[in-house]
């Protein structure tokens, strides 16, 4: 008997705080996913980093042996300056791109990466004025971009998602949930094909040093706004039609970002995903909210009535004393 009561009380406790339990498991799962990613990246990339470090040490030792007139501190000072310039997008190699990093098309590409929060990091402001303007430009531009993307995605979603689903549901009588799921899958497939596979094939042809996997990797890193900056198109040596190429990449990034948001919004509108998301949200108790509102209104009304009564008492106290007069009918009755 006691065990059954304890079990039922535990079940009621879990059901009462189900959202909190789900949220706790969500936080735990996210932390475990972070740790899992760190372990995998470390185990995969650390050996390659070690090989690269050993290779650089051998090259440095061999260079110093072949050039005895050059000391190691001088070489390190020179390499440090070269690496610092490379971080700002300037290279001293003879086969590096001879184009400027801050012509109009490059600046337009940089502005698009800043506003879309992609931020490849291959080109950064050099001057203090440029850094200050980048801060101000981003503070205003990023919310402006979010507003712009929200408005565009809302309008595109109406024509691309909601109307087709309603058409098949009303015209052909299919279940709305089934139509929405099939439509979301087809839309995702078309988006992946048009903004990942096809552009990856194009980049693998236009970029000499990129294969298909590296091109697909660039497309995903860019449209997901991760923007690691290890692959940036249009930075090769003697790139043909570089200005037009940069403008095309800028348009591709904006259109691809809009397409990704439309697909994300389409999946978020699925009934199953809405139910799944609600598991982790805080549930509002309407009855308690109404009780709190009524109590607040009652307290406010009682305080107002008390203030009015107090004002009336003060007015009575301030009025001069007036003797009460007997009514006429009382005088008449006294005469009789």
């Amino acid at each position: 008997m006691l065990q059954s009561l304890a079990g039922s009380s535990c079940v009621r406790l879990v059901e009462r705080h189900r959202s909190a339990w789900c949220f706790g498991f969500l936080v735990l799962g996210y932390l475990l996913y972070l740790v899992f990613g760190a372990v995998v990246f470390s185990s995969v990339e650390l050996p390659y980093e070690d090989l690269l470090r050993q290779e650089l040490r051998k090259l440095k030792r061999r260079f110093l042996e072949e050039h005895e007139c050059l000391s190691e501190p001088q070489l390190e000072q020179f390499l440090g300056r070269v690496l610092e310039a490379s971080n700002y997008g300037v290279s001293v190699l003879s086969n590096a791109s001879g184009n400027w990093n801050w012509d109009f098309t490059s600046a337009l590409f940089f502005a698009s990466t800043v506003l879309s929060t992609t931020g490849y990091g291959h080109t950064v402001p050099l001057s203090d004025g440029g850094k200050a303007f980048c801060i101000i430009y981003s503070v205003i531009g990023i919310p402006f971009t979010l507003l712009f993307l929200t408005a565009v995605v809302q309008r595109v979603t109406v024509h691309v998602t909601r109307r087709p689903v309603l058409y098949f549901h009303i015209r052909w009588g299919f279940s709305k949930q089934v139509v929405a799921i099939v439509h979301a899958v087809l839309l995702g497939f078309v988006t992946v094909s048009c903004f990942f596979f096809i552009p990856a094939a194009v980049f693998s042809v236009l970029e000499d040093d990129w294969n298909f996997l590296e091109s697909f990797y660039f497309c995903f890193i860019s449209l997901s706004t991760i923007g690691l900056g290890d692959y940036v198109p249009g930075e090769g040596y003697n790139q043909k039609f570089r200005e037009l190429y940069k403008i095309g990449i800028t348009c591709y990034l904006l259109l691809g970002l809009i397409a990704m948001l439309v697909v994300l919004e389409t999946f978020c509108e699925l009934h199953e995903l809405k139910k799944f998301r609600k598991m982790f949200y805080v549930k509002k108790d309407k009855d308690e909210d109404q009780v709190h509102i009524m109590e607040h209104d009652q307290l406010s009304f009682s305080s107002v009535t008390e203030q009015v009564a107090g004002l009336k008492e003060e007015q009575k106290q301030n009025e001069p004393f007036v003797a009460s007069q007997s009514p006429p009918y009382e005088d008449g009755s006294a005469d009789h």
Side-chain angles (χ1 to χ4, degrees):
M1 184 68 180
L2 293 177
Q3 292 180 354
S4 61
L5 291 175
S8 61
S9 62
C10 292
V11 170
R12 288 196 301 269
L13 181 63
V14 171
E15 289 294 332
R16 184 181 303 174
H17 302 283
R18 184 179 181 182
S19 177
W21 284 103
C22 292
F23 179 74
F25 285 121
L26 178 65
V27 173
L28 180 61
Y30 187 77
L31 294 177
L32 291 176
Y33 193 73
L34 284 176
V35 174
F36 169 74
V39 171
V40 173
F41 283 126
S42 178
S43 59
V44 171
E45 296 296 329
L46 191 59
Y48 288 91
E49 181 185 0
D50 184 52
L51 291 176
L52 183 58
R53 287 177 180 271
Q54 294 179 7
E55 182 181 356
L56 289 177
R57 291 193 189 100
K58 291 179 181 179
L59 289 175
K60 179 183 175 182
R61 190 182 307 112
R62 185 183 307 170
F63 183 83
L64 290 174
E65 290 176 356
E66 294 176 355
H67 302 82
E68 297 180 354
C69 60
L70 183 64
S71 63
E72 185 174 356
Q74 292 176 343
L75 177 61
E76 291 184 353
Q77 183 179 3
F78 173 74
L79 292 177
R81 181 57 180 164
V82 169
L83 293 175
E84 183 181 356
S86 178
N87 292 331
Y88 287 100
V90 179
S91 177
V92 298
L93 298 177
S94 58
N95 61 347
S97 176
N99 299 298
W100 293 92
N101 292 324
W102 291 104
D103 54 359
F104 177 75
T105 53
S106 299
L108 180 64
F109 179 69
F110 172 78
S112 66
T113 59
V114 169
L115 295 183
S116 62
T117 66
T118 303
Y120 293 112
H122 70 293
T123 302
V124 294
L126 300 175
S127 62
D128 294 337
K131 295 174 183 177
F133 176 74
C134 184
I135 295 174
I136 300 173
Y137 185 74
S138 302
V139 168
I140 300 175
I142 292 176
F144 189 25
T145 303
L146 294 177
L147 176 62
F148 165 73
L149 291 176
T150 302
V152 172
V153 170
Q154 190 271 337
R155 283 164 172 77
V156 173
T157 304
V158 170
H159 297 282
V160 174
T161 299
R162 295 173 184 172
R163 288 186 178 180
V165 171
L166 287 176
Y167 174 79
F168 282 97
H169 172 63
I170 297 174
R171 179 68 176 81
W172 301 99
F174 294 111
S175 174
K176 189 175 180 180
Q177 297 181 5
V178 175
V179 174
I181 294 174
V182 174
H183 175 269
V185 173
L186 291 177
L187 183 63
F189 176 76
V190 171
T191 302
V192 171
S193 300
C194 294
F195 290 95
F196 287 92
F197 287 107
I198 296 177
V202 173
F203 283 127
S204 63
V205 174
L206 296 179
E207 298 292 334
D208 297 332
D209 300 331
W210 294 13
N211 55 29
F212 182 80
L213 176 60
E214 293 171 337
S215 302
F216 189 88
Y217 169 80
F218 163 76
C219 295
F220 178 79
I221 293 298
S222 299
L223 296 185
S224 59
T225 67
I226 298 174
L228 296 178
D230 48 352
Y231 290 93
V232 180
E235 299 296 326
Y237 179 64
N238 291 332
Q239 179 72 49
K240 295 181 180 180
F241 307 104
R242 184 174 184 269
E243 290 77 11
L244 184 61
Y245 189 32
K246 284 287 186 180
I247 294 176
I249 296 170
T250 303
C251 296
Y252 162 72
L253 292 177
L254 291 177
L255 292 176
L257 186 59
I258 291 173
M260 291 286 289
L261 292 175
V262 170
V263 173
L264 183 63
E265 181 67 20
T266 301
F267 275 92
C268 287
E269 288 186 354
L270 295 178
H271 180 69
E272 289 75 9
L273 289 182
K274 287 183 178 179
K275 290 176 61 178
F276 180 74
R277 294 201 311 270
K278 287 181 179 179
M279 292 174 57
F280 308 102
Y281 294 164
V282 177
K283 295 182 180 179
K284 294 182 179 180
D285 194 349
K286 295 182 179 180
D287 296 334
E288 292 183 359
D289 293 341
Q290 292 177 356
V291 169
H292 290 317
I293 293 173
M294 292 176 63
E295 290 179 353
H296 178 72
D297 292 341
Q298 289 177 358
L299 291 174
S300 301
F301 180 75
S302 61
S303 61
V304 170
T305 53
E306 290 176 357
Q307 291 178 0
V308 172
L311 290 175
K312 288 183 178 180
E313 291 293 335
E314 291 180 357
Q315 290 178 357
K316 287 181 179 181
Q317 292 178 359
N318 294 330
E319 288 178 357
F321 178 78
V322 179
S324 58
Q325 297 179 355
S326 59
Y329 66 86
E330 291 181 357
D331 296 340
S333 60
D335 294 338
H336 288 294

